Amino acid sequence: MKTIALIAHDHKKDDMIAWCLKHERLLTKHRLVGTGTTARLVTEKTGLEVYPYLSGPLGGDQQIGAAIATGKIDI
């Protein structure tokens, strides 16, 4: 099991949701995390459980960056 971070700019959130739906079977085998709004929208639209960090503008990008740097996020 890998931890996968999902981050999408406001204008790309629909693309992220579509990508998650396309790969839903594979993604269910992993732990998903994401910046606040992306995590919420992916969870609402796909049913995938995505652990939310803060929203990007509130520091979520930095939180995910720190988790990558410390080996807590794989992809």
Side-chain angles (χ1 to χ4, degrees), residues 9-46:
H9 186 274
D10 287 344
H11 300 290
K12 293 295 185 176
K13 291 196 189 324
D14 288 339
D15 291 339
M16 176 66 77
I17 291 164
W19 184 85
C20 287
L21 287 169
K22 181 177 179 179
H23 300 286
E24 183 176 7
R25 215 168 90 198
L26 176 67
L27 293 172
T28 59
K29 299 174 184 177
H30 300 281
R31 180 174 186 262
L32 305 177
V33 301
T35 51
T37 305
T38 300
R40 180 180 53 79
L41 289 173
V42 169
T43 296
E44 287 176 2
K45 303 290 184 178
T46 69

